[in-house]
Amino acid sequence: MNSEHEPKIVAFLCKWCSSAGSDMAGVSRLEYPSNVIPITVMCSGSVSPLYILSAFNLGADGVLVSGCHPGDCHYIKGNMYARRRMALLKELLPYIGLEPERFQMSWVSAAEGLKFTQIIKEFVKQLKPLGPQTQLRRSL
Amino acid sequence: MRKKIGVFVCHCGINIAGTVDVKKVAQELSEFPGVSYTVDYVYMCSDPGQNLIIQKIKEEKLDGVVVACCSPNLHETTFRRAAQSAGLNPYECEIANIREQCSWVHKDKDKATEKAIKITKGIVEKLRWNEPLQPIKVPVTKRALIIGGGIAGIQTALDLANSDIEVVLVEKNPSIGGHMIQLSETFPTLDCSQCILTPKMVEVSKHPKIKLYTYSEVQEVTGYVGNFQAKILKKPRYVDPDKCTLCDECTQVCPVVVPNEFDLGLTGRKAIYIPFPQAIPATYTLDIEACPGVLPIACGKCWDVCEPKAIDFDMKPEIVEEKVGAIVVATGYDLYDKKNMAEYGYGKYPDVLDGLQFERLLSASGPTRGKILRPSDHKEPKEIVFIQCVGSRDPELHNKYCSKICCMYTAKHAKLYKHHVHDGQAYVFYIDIRAGGKGYEEFVNRTMEEEGVLYLRGKVSKVFEENGKLVVWGVDTLAGQDIEIRADMVVLAMAIRPSSGAEKLAKILKAAQDTDGFFAEAHPKLRPVESLTAGVFLAGVAQAPKDIPDTVAQAGGAAIKVVSILSQPELLHSPLVAQVNEHLCTGCSMCVDVCPFSALSIVEGKAKVNEVLCEGCGTCAATCLRSAIEVKNLTHLQVHDMLTASLGGLK
Amino acid sequence: MVEVEKIREEARRLLQEGQVRGVIGYVRGPQGVWAVPAMIRNPEDVDRLVWNPTCVHNLVLFVVEEKKEQARQKEPDKRPLAVVVKGCDSRAINVLLQEKFIEREEVILLGVSCENSGVVDKKKLLNLVPSQKIEEIVYGNNGHIVAVIDGERRVFPPEEVLADRCLECQANFPVVYDHFFGEKIKKEAINTSPGVDKIEKMRLEERRRFWEEELSRCLRCYACRSVCPMCYCTECVVDPISFAVEPTTTAEEKAKKIKWIEKSPLLSENFVYHLVRAIHLAGRCVDCGECERVCPEDIPIRLLNKKLEREAWRLFNYVAGMDSQAPSLFSTFKETDPEDFIR
């Protein structure tokens, strides 16, 4: 396995908490690896499992879905629906052989810039030894 | 035709340019499909920067603009406004965040540049499919409906009416005033409750902008923010207030006596009655449940003696319709039900009272004219026990929450007791003393120190009667010993519960309740007087237990929220809302189930979006198995294409 | 025992009285012993109806087809359809009710008990007996299956010949019906899915190899989707094959169709297809086993759905199709839903 592999991570961040939290990391100048490309969505509840599977299919080595902590959702309960959907996906992916580390979910509030950076750092650290994700990656 | 997109890369001084090779970003983007113009500039948000965008939109005939700069939270509005002034639809301008989410968090310039390019490409892909949108305009009915005529509803009504907004105030009881009018004196200043409330009640009744429906209930509400229609049931009073002269002859002859609700059963009232002397409206109500007969007229004594013939047994329930633009829920509370507190003998022993009953005893207009006397034998109680947290803070058996006002009113009760019964001894059983409020801590301390009230930290296990005394078995957890007090009177600080009609009303308004049954606020910190339903606001205990100052403050807050809606000629709503592809929709209603704003319904087998209610969260879009519902300008296609670009693209 | 004559009687009555526009049931098929689905519209034809262990099909598919057909007709016959449902099939009805695809009044459900047994896996039985010789397959005692071969009765224990799903089934009688035939015997499955157990016990690498082997054979013929009563969508999100490209269709409209996956049966695309399908069936799949039965490549598709069935129960106490009034698995949540996987 290639330990120098730089994993490509897509992070679906809800606009109100997690994207704001990653902004907070920026404002606080907290450094973290550049492997993650953020995609801001309105709510973690709007993240369809299709997005995650498609991200892997389009070559992502890891996918993060991050929303507001329970009770803090800007839309009251979007994150609760997300939690259910993602719980099943989280079980399904390793069942077909995908490393469980490749799909993660987190609650990051607008104030948790530090937590955001820690999650990304940890994520990158976990993915590096796994090498590229090829199982769901489209190869023409 | 493909959009011509311009990409404007901001240096933000060295904030971005220090870590990201902005020239390279502009260069790479200029080769990206659909991008017809790129430029980098030191401060895009400056006037010259904005002018550059405006100028280039015009010169290059751009259909869309991506500004790669700081977080959209900072300058999205700035750049959208600039785009608009150049003749673009503001929704054709998008922000690529390459500062907070890139330059500020990375050090390696190559890597940061690479990431900035990906982020910007992703946003270009999103913009490619953006639709030009206009804010959704909604007409507004400049009237407000307030449900509940206690202090919360009264204050909201007055604040609104004094802001020149017409108010419809609905109260289910025969008079407004709520629980506050039952109180004796109020903590921590010991103002007389009636003295400070009755002027407000009178003002409500005289205010030209307030339409008052007492003895009435809201039955149905349709419509949405700015445009609600409410059906209000006016229960028959059987007394015409215009004719009634308040001579009181009717109650003199009425043979029926039932417990008086206003005195919480400590006194009786007749079947025809006025709830209390200062009632608004000042008129009588015939309690048809208690009256021995309207059909056939078995009694009719009141009718016989009523000189102005104000009594009309043929009065019927009436339903009136009112159009309003906003609704305030101010339905207050009820005390926790007696039957839940059998171990304290509540409801069994006449001298075990709840807090509101004790208020009536303390009230100068109450059953004992302000003297503290035992209901059982009209003797002055020399030893009195107050028990706090009765039914509150008990997740196993009762309510898990703190009822918030009990610590303070119990201190007040103990203090006032001592003012009346100088040689009496008061005991207070408490779990904690929660006296967070201006002057509250001092008030409790004075009660303990100046009045010699004995505070015992611990719970009471049982209250029972023995030889004319109420035996209170408790424990003092500080001293670590069991305590037995032989008291003459026991006062229970009962938990407060959402008003009995709250659940029904929540359904009528489609407003959510929390797990305890109180109305749920839209956000616990930032939107405490708004409900989850647009245009429906909350005031007072309907939302959560709170005291009078907090209630009045919240009422004012709710009023200004109503004003902020009703003062607009029309409401503007974000056009980033869900839209349905009817060809794909099967009407399964999963989206309807998940929508937090009740913005979706099934009409003729297809999902339908109420654009005014939709907040664009997209939970429906992720739930729909058929991709039949999506949020405008953040569609599945846009996410897919953003993913493709962000991941470097596939051939 | 289910007395087939009673089913016929009821079907005859419904047709004679004009209460239904048709009865969807099983009849003896052209290949002899193996039953096939049939729509009976004439009372005279009801004697063709059979009930035996070869009645494998989930007839709810035809309710779906009929419903779609009705939507195309100008003046459709609005009378209900009678349909023979087994336990699993009845839960499919519940899911369709839950999703408001059909109304309860649109169907009259002739519920049948699976006789404390199940239906036969044709492949398993044919491994034991050549098919042309089988004259009859009927239920025996204690869940046993009896095949009459050359006039001779041969008794097979259930584990030898029943479909896997029946061996794993815990609800072998209908949960919703208008008429019920047979006895409700609650069967206790020893293991609700040994197949899932087996995969769960594999190492990650082995799991990946297992599924790569299986899914690499997928031809993307979509038989699994066509036979599934839950795959009633107008267009399938992963493969909008029914997207009508007309001369008037603009390039933009075509471009707006998302290609979530490639049409060609690449392994990666097969993976995504089957994963999306599994997720879309979570809380909806009633394990009627049809997808697996019709797969020309014998891909164990059920094992994907079974895994999510297991997790939906373990994580959310949710079983598909038990209650037509309850919200769907993904359109509800509990405050206490597990979140130990969330950081």
Side-chain angles (χ1 to χ4, degrees):
Chain A
M1 248 176 243
N2 183 1
S3 62
E4 292 307 300
H5 170 67
E6 286 295 345
K8 286 197 267 186
I9 300 170
V10 174
F12 292 98
L13 310 178
C14 82
K15 177 185 166 100
W16 305 97
C17 289
S18 296
S19 188
S22 85
D23 277 358
M24 176 57 77
V27 173
S28 319
R29 308 297 200 278
L30 300 170
E31 206 197 339
Y32 58 88
S34 64
N35 306 57
V36 59
I37 305 294
I39 291 184
T40 300
V41 292
M42 296 306 275
C43 178
S44 57
S46 75
V47 178
S48 161
L50 262 174
Y51 295 178
I52 293 143
L53 295 170
S54 181
F56 285 125
N57 186 233
L58 293 168
D61 298 309
V63 179
L64 174 72
V65 175
S66 190
C68 308
H69 285 269
D72 288 350
C73 176
H74 187 76
Y75 305 103
I76 327 313
K77 47 188 183 178
N79 55 350
M80 298 289 95
Y81 294 112
R83 182 171 70 179
R84 243 187 195 211
R85 277 197 287 269
M86 298 313 157
L88 277 200
L89 194 60
K90 186 81 188 159
E91 296 296 334
L92 182 61
L93 293 175
Y95 181 74
I96 56 113
L98 194 75
E99 294 89 346
E101 296 86 356
R102 294 199 186 272
F103 169 56
Q104 303 194 11
M105 188 169 181
S106 62
W107 303 136
V108 172
S109 80
E112 292 176 324
L114 184 62
K115 180 173 177 187
F116 182 77
T117 64
Q118 287 163 345
I119 285 167
I120 300 301
K121 282 180 188 167
E122 182 70 11
F123 205 159
V124 173
K125 201 173 129 194
Q126 288 174 340
L127 290 193
K128 277 194 174 181
L130 299 182
Q133 181 278 125
T134 55
Q135 187 174 8
L136 301 180
R137 181 188 194 140
R138 188 183 306 167
S139 48
L140 294 176
Chain B
M1 213 186 65
R2 203 163 223 185
K3 273 184 195 170
K4 288 174 75 177
I5 294 170
V7 178
F8 297 80
V9 187
C10 182
H11 300 196
C12 197
I14 58 159
N15 279 304
I16 293 171
T19 329
V20 168
D21 182 346
V22 286
K23 300 269 179 213
K24 192 176 175 197
V25 175
Q27 171 60 31
E28 283 255 348
L29 263 294
S30 71
E31 291 161 20
F32 197 63
V35 176
S36 64
Y37 179 80
T38 59
V39 69
D40 59 278
Y41 186 74
V42 62
Y43 286 111
M44 280 294 171
C45 62
S46 67
D47 272 358
Q50 291 188 52
N51 286 336
L52 176 68
I53 295 175
I54 293 167
Q55 185 198 338
K56 290 300 166 189
I57 290 173
K58 289 177 181 165
E59 278 178 19
E60 303 286 330
K61 298 196 168 38
L62 301 177
D63 304 305
V65 169
V66 170
V67 188
C69 57
C70 55
S71 165
N73 290 338
L74 295 165
H75 280 305
E76 187 178 73
T77 320
T78 313
F79 293 122
R80 285 194 168 166
R81 212 172 278 152
Q84 197 170 14
S85 71
L88 267 191
N89 182 284
Y91 292 93
E92 298 288 15
C93 171
E94 289 283 355
I95 306 297
N97 180 348
I98 59 166
R99 192 179 74 175
E100 284 82 348
Q101 295 183 344
C102 188
S103 71
W104 274 354
V105 288
H106 308 311
K107 283 203 176 121
D108 183 317
K109 196 158 183 173
D110 288 344
K111 284 181 176 172
T113 305
E114 194 191 331
K115 176 172 163 181
I117 291 166
K118 283 180 181 169
I119 291 175
T120 312
K121 282 182 178 173
I123 298 296
V124 169
E125 288 290 4
K126 173 183 191 301
L127 178 67
R128 195 191 304 291
W129 299 111
N130 267 15
E131 290 175 61
L133 298 172
Q134 300 298 333
I136 297 158
K137 291 180 181 173
V138 193
V140 178
T141 309
K142 291 200 184 310
R143 306 175 82 222
L145 168 67
I146 296 166
I147 306 168
I151 178 60
I154 288 172
Q155 188 62 46
T156 315
L158 289 175
D159 286 348
L160 283 172
N162 291 334
S163 312
D164 213 29
I165 283 169
E166 242 180 79
V167 170
V168 178
L169 177 58
V170 177
E171 165 58 48
K172 70 177 173 187
N173 289 320
S175 170
I176 58 169
H179 284 308
M180 184 174 165
I181 198 68
Q182 295 174 301
L183 307 183
S184 55
E185 289 161 30
T186 54
F187 62 78
T189 47
L190 301 184
D191 307 73
C192 150
S193 189
Q194 290 194 344
C195 311
I196 57 176
L197 185 57
T198 46
K200 283 184 185 287
M201 291 165 62
V202 173
E203 199 185 340
V204 165
S205 70
K206 302 282 185 225
H207 206 296
K209 288 277 179 184
I210 299 178
K211 194 169 178 182
L212 180 60
Y213 292 108
T214 50
Y215 212 43
S216 301
E217 284 178 37
V218 174
Q219 275 207 319
E220 185 187 305
V221 173
T222 53
Y224 46 84
V225 57
N227 302 276
F228 292 108
Q229 291 91 42
K231 280 189 185 162
I232 298 160
L233 169 72
K234 288 173 70 180
K235 292 177 276 189
R237 275 177 200 277
Y238 304 100
V239 177
D240 183 345
D242 295 335
K243 289 187 187 162
C244 173
T245 60
L246 297 169
C247 68
D248 207 39
E249 291 290 332
C250 51
T251 64
Q252 308 294 327
V253 297
C254 178
V256 182
V257 180
V258 291
N260 182 355
E261 300 87 352
F262 188 69
D263 284 333
L264 295 115
L266 293 176
T267 58
R269 64 156 171 84
K270 297 296 181 66
I272 190 163
Y273 69 108
I274 185 165
F276 48 95
Q278 309 90 328
I280 299 284
T283 191
Y284 286 75
T285 301
L286 179 69
D287 176 356
I288 206 66
E289 303 289 320
C291 178
V294 173
L295 283 176
I297 297 169
C299 170
K301 288 199 173 74
C302 53
W303 191 85
D304 290 341
V305 298
C306 183
E307 236 165 71
K309 294 295 164 222
I311 296 168
D312 175 6
F313 287 129
D314 294 329
M315 230 180 242
K316 294 274 177 301
E318 196 187 333
I319 289 177
V320 290
E321 287 198 32
E322 294 284 356
K323 284 188 190 317
V324 295
I327 298 172
V328 179
V329 179
T331 46
Y333 67 96
D334 286 330
L335 286 186
Y336 194 43
D337 203 330
K338 273 191 178 63
K339 65 175 188 290
N340 297 314
M341 278 300 157
E343 66 265 43
Y344 292 165
Y346 184 40
K348 184 175 174 194
Y349 308 125
D351 299 330
V352 176
L353 303 179
D354 62 44
L356 275 178
Q357 288 176 320
F358 196 68
E359 291 286 346
R360 296 309 302 147
L361 284 190
L362 290 170
S363 171
S365 65
T368 53
R369 303 272 158 228
K371 289 191 179 121
I372 299 177
L373 300 174
R374 296 180 6 140
S376 61
D377 54 10
H378 286 257
K379 282 187 186 151
E380 203 172 56
K382 295 294 178 195
E383 299 225 36
I384 186 165
V385 171
F386 295 92
I387 307 175
Q388 294 193 172
C389 296
V390 180
S392 304
R393 303 179 65 193
D394 189 345
E396 277 85 40
L397 297 173
H398 302 289
N399 302 295
K400 64 178 185 292
Y401 54 86
C402 163
S403 292
K404 197 167 178 184
I405 58 171
C406 326
C407 286
M408 290 309 298
Y409 79 61
T410 301
K412 177 191 76 180
H413 285 169
K415 185 189 273 287
L416 292 176
Y417 167 78
K418 286 292 291 180
H419 290 184
H420 284 86
V421 187
H422 303 299
D423 58 344
Q425 179 60 54
Y427 305 87
V428 177
F429 280 95
Y430 71 101
I431 303 179
D432 301 290
I433 298 296
R434 296 182 168 178
K438 191 168 173 174
Y440 288 10
E441 178 73 10
E442 299 89 318
F443 183 84
V444 174
N445 284 339
R446 284 202 305 274
T447 304
M448 291 184 191
E449 289 156 14
E450 295 169 13
E451 314 292 356
V453 173
L454 205 56
Y455 270 72
L456 301 163
R457 192 174 199 275
K459 282 201 164 185
V460 170
S461 59
K462 196 177 176 184
V463 176
F464 59 97
E465 209 171 48
E466 199 177 86
N467 304 328
K469 289 274 186 186
L470 291 165
V471 184
V472 179
W473 277 358
V475 59
D476 180 346
T477 53
L478 292 181
Q481 60 186 12
D482 291 341
I483 291 191
E484 182 184 302
I485 297 169
R486 302 181 76 78
D488 301 309
M489 186 180 271
V490 172
V491 180
L492 308 177
M494 293 297 282
I496 59 185
R497 293 283 310 147
S499 172
S500 57
E503 193 176 348
K504 191 175 149 205
L505 185 64
K507 288 207 172 72
I508 290 172
L509 296 175
K510 297 182 198 76
Q513 292 171 283
D514 61 27
T515 48
D516 298 315
F518 293 102
F519 282 87
E521 64 277 13
H523 190 282
K525 290 110 199 171
L526 302 178
R527 298 169 72 193
V529 301
E530 292 157 79
S531 80
L532 296 170
T533 307
V536 176
F537 302 94
L538 312 173
V541 184
Q543 180 254 343
K546 58 177 70 70
D547 58 22
I548 295 167
D550 282 1
T551 295
V552 171
Q554 199 187 20
I560 196 66
K561 287 288 174 193
V562 171
V563 171
S564 71
I565 288 180
L566 301 191
S567 61
Q568 299 174 54
E570 52 194 1
L571 293 178
L572 292 183
H573 186 74
S574 163
L576 298 172
V577 294
Q579 60 185 345
V580 177
N581 179 336
E582 292 203 351
H583 169 64
L584 297 177
C585 178
T586 63
C588 75
S589 87
M590 281 194 210
C591 56
V592 179
D593 292 342
V594 299
C595 178
F597 306 101
S598 308
L600 294 165
S601 55
I602 301 292
V603 177
E604 287 172 13
K606 303 287 176 188
K608 193 167 180 288
V609 182
N610 183 328
E611 297 193 334
V612 182
L613 297 180
C614 176
E615 295 281 332
C617 69
T619 302
C620 52
T623 305
C624 181
L625 300 172
R626 315 164 218 289
S627 299
I629 188 164
E630 297 186 292
V631 177
K632 287 180 185 171
N633 288 359
L634 198 55
T635 60
H636 290 324
L637 175 65
Q638 287 176 297
V639 173
H640 174 267
D641 288 1
M642 283 168 87
L643 277 173
T644 312
S646 307
L647 288 162
L650 282 162
K651 305 291 146 353
Chain C
M1 276 303 229
V2 177
E3 291 172 51
V4 72
E5 198 43 56
K6 290 208 169 145
I7 304 177
R8 291 173 184 160
E9 260 170 43
E10 188 54 37
R12 190 178 295 114
R13 188 184 67 83
L14 290 168
L15 286 167
Q16 274 170 351
E17 291 176 6
Q19 283 194 36
V20 294
R21 63 178 194 273
V23 177
I24 304 172
Y26 303 95
V27 297
R28 200 174 162 94
Q31 295 174 25
V33 67
W34 304 100
V36 294
M39 167 74 89
I40 308 276
R41 296 192 192 267
N42 280 322
E44 301 88 74
D45 292 339
V46 297
D47 287 333
R48 293 172 57 209
L49 287 172
V50 297
W51 170 247
N52 62 47
T54 71
C55 298
V56 294
H57 314 79
N58 183 346
L59 300 181
V60 177
L61 175 68
F62 303 97
V63 174
V64 170
E65 298 292 327
E66 273 282 315
K67 177 79 184 177
K68 287 185 170 175
E69 179 56 33
Q70 239 186 359
R72 285 189 286 268
Q73 287 171 356
K74 278 220 178 79
E75 284 174 5
D77 185 344
K78 287 268 178 79
R79 287 176 299 167
L81 275 173
V83 53
V84 176
V85 288
K86 305 185 288 288
C88 46
D89 310 342
S90 80
R91 294 195 291 125
I93 289 282
N94 261 347
V95 177
L96 293 182
L97 291 171
Q98 204 174 11
E99 296 175 4
K100 297 170 186 60
F101 188 73
I102 56 166
E103 301 287 334
R104 185 65 182 81
E105 304 79 62
E106 293 179 75
V107 283
I108 291 178
L109 302 173
L110 309 176
V112 286
S113 149
C114 290
E115 313 274 14
N116 197 22
S117 178
V119 295
V120 163
D121 182 328
K122 193 172 173 180
K123 289 163 195 156
K124 286 189 192 171
L125 189 62
L126 292 192
N127 276 338
L128 302 170
V129 207
S131 72
Q132 59 274 20
K133 289 187 178 170
I134 307 175
E135 290 149 24
E136 190 105 52
I137 300 172
V138 293
Y139 287 112
N141 294 328
N142 302 327
H144 284 58
I145 300 293
V146 179
V148 182
I149 302 158
D150 290 335
E152 222 175 285
R153 289 167 60 90
R154 237 180 104 182
V155 179
F156 297 94
E159 56 276 15
E160 278 182 22
V161 290
L162 283 196
D164 286 349
R165 63 180 162 107
C166 296
L167 295 171
E168 297 161 16
C169 174
Q170 287 190 300
N172 53 329
F173 51 82
V175 292
V176 54
Y177 54 83
D178 297 291
H179 303 278
F180 180 67
F181 305 93
E183 291 151 285
K184 290 184 188 178
I185 306 162
K186 177 83 179 152
K187 197 174 83 167
E188 290 299 330
I190 299 152
N191 185 330
T192 54
S193 187
V196 175
D197 283 350
K198 207 175 113 190
I199 297 174
E200 283 178 346
K201 280 186 196 119
M202 292 179 188
R203 286 183 298 112
L204 196 75
E205 290 281 314
E206 291 175 309
R207 270 181 249 157
R208 177 171 173 175
R209 269 203 304 281
F210 172 84
W211 284 111
E212 280 180 348
E213 236 163 71
E214 297 291 347
L215 294 182
S216 62
R217 298 199 308 279
C218 175
L219 310 167
R220 299 273 287 290
C221 69
Y222 301 122
C224 47
R225 190 168 79 191
S226 307
V227 80
C228 177
M230 294 309 140
C231 282
Y232 61 78
C233 301
T234 325
E235 288 177 15
C236 181
V237 288
V238 291
D239 186 52
I241 43 167
S242 61
F243 174 60
V245 179
E246 286 163 17
T248 52
T249 311
T250 62
E252 200 202 357
E253 279 172 314
K254 277 189 236 172
K256 272 195 171 182
K257 295 308 283 189
I258 317 166
K259 203 154 80 173
W260 287 115
I261 52 173
E262 282 293 322
K263 278 191 175 179
S264 49
L266 295 166
L267 180 56
S268 63
E269 312 304 286
N270 294 352
F271 260 116
V272 177
Y273 166 70
H274 285 284
L275 290 175
V276 171
R277 189 162 179 278
I279 283 279
H280 276 193
L281 285 169
R284 304 171 68 234
C285 172
V286 296
D287 196 20
C288 69
E290 288 288 82
C291 48
E292 195 168 298
R293 182 179 64 84
V294 300
C295 179
E297 290 293 332
D298 291 333
I299 298 168
I301 306 170
R302 270 185 66 239
L303 293 181
L304 287 172
N305 301 324
K306 257 332 228 195
K307 169 67 176 171
L308 292 184
E309 178 188 297
R310 172 176 289 187
E311 296 303 335
W313 171 250
R314 185 176 71 87
L315 301 170
F316 312 119
N317 282 339
Y318 191 93
V319 179
M322 294 309 284
D323 181 0
S324 65
Q325 301 301 309
S328 303
L329 174 65
F330 286 144
S331 59
T332 184
F333 67 88
K334 287 187 194 136
E335 299 288 343
T336 52
D337 280 350
E339 60 168 20
D340 47 356
F341 69 99
I342 300 174
R343 305 193 47 186

